[in-house]
Amino acid sequence: MKALRRISSTMRSAALTIGRRGARLASERLRALLGTGAILIAAMAATAVPNETAPPAAATATPETPAGFTGIGPVVSGSVAYGDIPSKARKFLERHCDGHAIVRIDKEFASDEYDVRLANGIDLGFNGKGNVVAVEAPDGYCLSPILLKAVVPGKLYQLLDHNGFSESVSAVHRDRMGYRLDIADPVFDQVCYDTSGVLTMIVDK
């Protein structure tokens, strides 16, 4: 109120020097400015969020991301326990892997496949049903004939043995088309067979 009285007093003094008409215009302009300021202050007060009502940080946090997520694309793999792989895969490992310890098991979520690393460096791949889809020996080594015989059909193993390849296969990859074998041979690099054991392709070095 004191401020308004001071403004009114100033306006009366101005009226003596510039006339009543000028004072009236000045008064209207002042009221307009004061009114605009009051509206802006009211709008800011209405939209302001008090600190007490601000949501806690936990409420605005993003959902928990899966373990292994790198921030680029979906989760690809994650370590799983031995008991989480299919029972058929466990039986194969216990029967054909000569008691070598398992050092790591990863699950490929996109393809529902399991990668198993043995202590001797051999990597095995199993699909969701527990069937072997890949076996790879460490660099510079080949699969044992016993393990190779357990991975490929009997007819195919006989062909490999007959052609002198039973001790020079470093990797076997199986898909719906058949088998692709990496060969440690001075001439051949890969040989491919269909599911019935018929030779379909030879890749030389």
Side-chain angles (χ1 to χ4, degrees), residues 155-166:
K155 182 180 179 180
L156 177 51
Y157 178 80
Q158 291 175 5
L159 289 171
L160 293 170
D161 188 43
H162 178 75
N163 289 284
F165 290 141
S166 61

Side-chain angles (χ1 to χ4, degrees), residues 10-31:
T10 304
M11 288 172 57
R12 282 196 296 271
S13 299
L16 295 175
T17 56
I18 64 176
R20 292 181 179 178
R21 187 168 178 275
R24 188 168 52 251
L25 290 174
S27 177
E28 290 174 357
R29 185 175 179 84
L30 182 60
R31 285 195 186 97

Side-chain angles (χ1 to χ4, degrees), residues 84-166:
D84 293 334
I85 66 176
S87 60
K88 188 174 182 179
R90 294 198 303 270
K91 290 177 181 178
F92 181 92
L93 292 168
E94 292 162 5
R95 182 176 180 181
H96 299 292
C97 291
D98 197 27
H100 290 288
I102 296 172
V103 296
R104 184 172 177 82
I105 303 174
D106 290 323
K107 180 177 181 180
E108 300 291 337
F109 293 101
S111 60
D112 194 29
E113 293 183 356
Y114 299 85
D115 294 328
V116 179
R117 166 68 62 90
L118 301 182
N120 61 355
I122 290 179
D123 289 318
L124 298 101
F126 298 91
N127 61 19
K129 296 180 179 179
N131 297 315
V132 179
V133 294
V135 182
E136 296 182 7
D139 291 342
Y141 291 88
C142 294
L143 302 173
S144 69
I146 295 175
L147 182 56
L148 178 63
K149 192 173 184 178
V151 172
V152 300
K155 182 180 179 180
L156 177 51
Y157 178 80
Q158 291 175 5
L159 289 171
L160 293 170
D161 188 43
H162 178 75
N163 289 284
F165 290 141
S166 61

